[in-house]
Amino acid sequence: MNPDARQLWRAPRWALAVLLAVLGMLGPFSIDTYIPAFSGIAQSLGATPVQMQQTLSAYLFGFAFMSLFHGAISDSVGRRPVVLWGLAAFTLASAGCALSQSIGQLVFFRAMQGLTTGAGIVVARAVVRDMFPPADAQRVMSQITIYFGVAPAIAPIIGGWLFVHMDWHSIFWFLTAVGVVLWVANFRLLPETLHLSHRQPLNVNNLMQGYWKLGLDPRFLLLALASGVPFNGMFLYVLSAPAFLGEHLALAPTQFFWFFVLTIGGIMGGAWVSGRMAGRVAPKRQIRIGFSIMLMIAVLNLVANLLFKAHVSWALLPIAIFAFGWALMVPVVTLLVLDLHPERRGMASSLQAFIGASANGLVAGVVAPLVMHSTVLLAASSLVMMCVGLVAWFYVRRRWPDIGAVVHT
């Protein structure tokens, strides 16, 4: 924690949470805003469904790759420069998407968006721990998750409206404008939170030593899996939204927002409860409750889809409850990851994001195209991905019982 934290930010704690959450919102906006326009983009550019799916996977793999470096670089040069340069590059990439005249160009600029978007969410996590002690950091992380959850709820609404009343190019011009606004806001408001005494040397040898140290720590790898992979149990449905909502549930593109509202409502509710538990409930107990909710609802969702034809009257609710369980435990797991190696919090955030984003990219590019046309396969895949995270956490709990056992006040 930065010893000068109280002097760096004198405004209310929630105001910093809003600023950091808005940084993290860039990722969901980059994904969810253009999903309602999939069919229109495909028709305009003469693209196949597989090529359109590549616009998602290119973004996610770009995000995963560069996530390895955003936080690590911020450990050396500071948090603020990485955020500002990342936002500037994202703005240019969004303009490139808007000007694309072929599917190849769109895939390229989507990859560029992915390479730059991660700076916000990766560095924001490190900033939280720079500024707050553990219990307060959990509350702020929960607040960030609540505000962050607004983005996926409103992004498809905005994207659908822009597509219907203008065209798909306007969606990426909108993202360009968002990039400009965020750059100005962070240039004026975001302080440098990394203390000079905490900075790491910026050289290849030091970076490789850090990656080696974290990469060989089984606690880090397992906790990163426990937080990142279960997210895909919910994210799979987001990636498959055109098929799941349009084909299986027969919703029009302008009705997709119901799915996002319910799901993000679950995330916001879980994050709010997580914040209320901070300083009162042991982290590992909170994680156990979150996984129990996800396991129960994922099993029920699979059984329901095996027995009944999916219908909008019930098919969206399990995903919202799953999102609640995930949001309940993920702020705690994220902080446990950051505190394993306090001197390299930026790098830890980078590697955690890389593992999660790699899983996201794999799901977007491989799993979603294979299972999106069957609600049973969607439910089964969601359960499997949740179980990967559950097994990782179960091993951590058995092998290192002290992790997450102390209630921080």
Side-chain angles (χ1 to χ4, degrees), residues 323-383:
F324 178 92
W326 176 80
L328 182 65
M329 66 90 179
V330 77
V332 186
V333 180
T334 298
L335 291 174
L336 292 179
V337 169
L338 295 179
D339 286 345
L340 286 174
H341 300 279
E343 75 283 4
R344 294 189 183 272
R345 285 199 174 101
M347 181 175 286
S349 183
S350 274
L351 285 174
Q352 183 186 26
F354 172 76
I355 292 172
S358 296
N360 296 348
L362 182 64
V363 171
V366 179
V367 179
L370 291 175
V371 304
M372 66 171 58
H373 298 296
S374 167
T375 58
V376 172
L377 290 177
L378 281 169
S381 300
S382 176
L383 175 60

Side-chain angles (χ1 to χ4, degrees), residues 250-324:
L251 295 177
T254 53
Q255 296 174 312
F256 282 15
F257 78 94
W258 288 111
F259 164 70
F260 292 99
V261 166
L262 288 172
T263 303
I264 302 311
I267 292 177
M268 296 174 70
W272 182 82
V273 174
S274 178
R276 298 289 292 177
M277 287 183 170
R280 302 178 182 180
V281 178
K284 69 176 184 180
R285 183 185 173 199
Q286 187 171 329
I287 295 169
R288 183 175 71 246
I289 294 171
F291 270 117
S292 298
I293 293 171
M294 286 189 289
L295 177 61
M296 177 184 66
I297 198 62
V299 170
L300 288 175
N301 187 39
L302 177 58
V303 171
N305 279 280
L306 284 169
L307 296 178
F308 308 103
K309 178 179 172 59
H311 190 270
V312 69
S313 61
W314 61 266
L316 301 181
L317 187 59
I319 307 166
I321 297 174
F322 187 101
F324 178 92

Side-chain angles (χ1 to χ4, degrees), residues 93-108:
S94 298
C97 290
L99 295 170
S100 294
Q101 299 298 314
S102 69
I103 188 63
Q105 292 176 3
L106 183 60
V107 170
F108 173 80

Side-chain angles (χ1 to χ4, degrees), residues 6-324:
R6 292 185 181 275
Q7 284 70 46
L8 292 175
W9 187 267
R10 297 181 180 276
R13 185 174 60 194
W14 62 263
L16 180 58
V18 170
L19 181 64
L20 298 177
V22 170
L23 276 176
M25 288 167 63
L26 206 56
F29 259 103
S30 299
I31 296 172
D32 298 334
T33 310
Y34 88 124
I35 284 180
F38 253 43
S39 59
I41 297 174
Q43 184 177 2
S44 173
L45 298 180
T48 66
V50 172
Q51 288 175 319
M52 286 305 303
Q53 201 69 27
Q54 288 174 349
T55 65
L56 272 176
S57 55
Y59 170 88
L60 292 170
F61 280 119
F63 181 98
F65 173 75
M66 198 58 197
S67 290
L68 282 171
F69 305 102
H70 290 308
I73 294 172
S74 79
D75 282 338
S76 299
V77 304
R79 315 299 188 201
R80 180 178 162 88
V82 175
V83 169
L84 293 177
W85 278 105
L87 288 173
F90 169 83
T91 302
L92 293 176
S94 298
C97 290
L99 295 170
S100 294
Q101 299 298 314
S102 69
I103 188 63
Q105 292 176 3
L106 183 60
V107 170
F108 173 80
F109 283 111
R110 285 288 292 165
M112 293 301 101
Q113 278 188 318
L115 288 170
T116 55
T117 309
I121 187 62
V122 169
V123 176
R125 293 172 180 169
V127 169
V128 171
R129 203 57 188 87
D130 287 342
M131 295 292 289
F132 301 103
D136 286 340
Q138 182 183 334
R139 295 185 184 98
V140 173
M141 198 73 75
S142 298
Q143 290 174 345
I144 289 175
T145 305
I146 291 174
Y147 300 131
F148 168 84
V150 174
I154 63 175
I157 300 174
I158 295 173
W161 188 90
L162 289 172
F163 174 61
V164 170
H165 293 88
M166 298 183 195
D167 60 16
W168 67 267
H169 299 278
S170 65
I171 294 173
F172 291 105
W173 285 123
F174 167 75
L175 291 176
T176 303
V178 169
V180 171
V181 171
L182 288 184
W183 191 92
V184 172
N186 281 274
F187 180 78
R188 293 188 173 184
L189 301 175
L190 183 68
E192 178 51 67
T193 63
L194 182 65
H195 196 268
L196 286 174
S197 64
H198 297 163
R199 299 196 178 194
Q200 297 288 324
L202 184 60
N203 58 67
V204 174
N205 184 54
N206 183 62
L207 286 175
M208 294 309 297
Q209 287 180 354
Y211 288 127
W212 186 260
K213 181 179 182 180
L214 269 65
L216 291 182
D217 187 344
R219 301 170 303 166
F220 172 83
L221 295 175
L222 290 167
L223 285 172
L225 288 174
S227 64
V229 179
F231 171 77
N232 285 283
M234 165 184 58
F235 191 51
L236 174 64
Y237 282 95
V238 175
L239 294 170
S240 305
F244 176 63
L245 301 176
E247 296 176 16
H248 301 305
L249 302 186
L251 295 177
T254 53
Q255 296 174 312
F256 282 15
F257 78 94
W258 288 111
F259 164 70
F260 292 99
V261 166
L262 288 172
T263 303
I264 302 311
I267 292 177
M268 296 174 70
W272 182 82
V273 174
S274 178
R276 298 289 292 177
M277 287 183 170
R280 302 178 182 180
V281 178
K284 69 176 184 180
R285 183 185 173 199
Q286 187 171 329
I287 295 169
R288 183 175 71 246
I289 294 171
F291 270 117
S292 298
I293 293 171
M294 286 189 289
L295 177 61
M296 177 184 66
I297 198 62
V299 170
L300 288 175
N301 187 39
L302 177 58
V303 171
N305 279 280
L306 284 169
L307 296 178
F308 308 103
K309 178 179 172 59
H311 190 270
V312 69
S313 61
W314 61 266
L316 301 181
L317 187 59
I319 307 166
I321 297 174
F322 187 101
F324 178 92

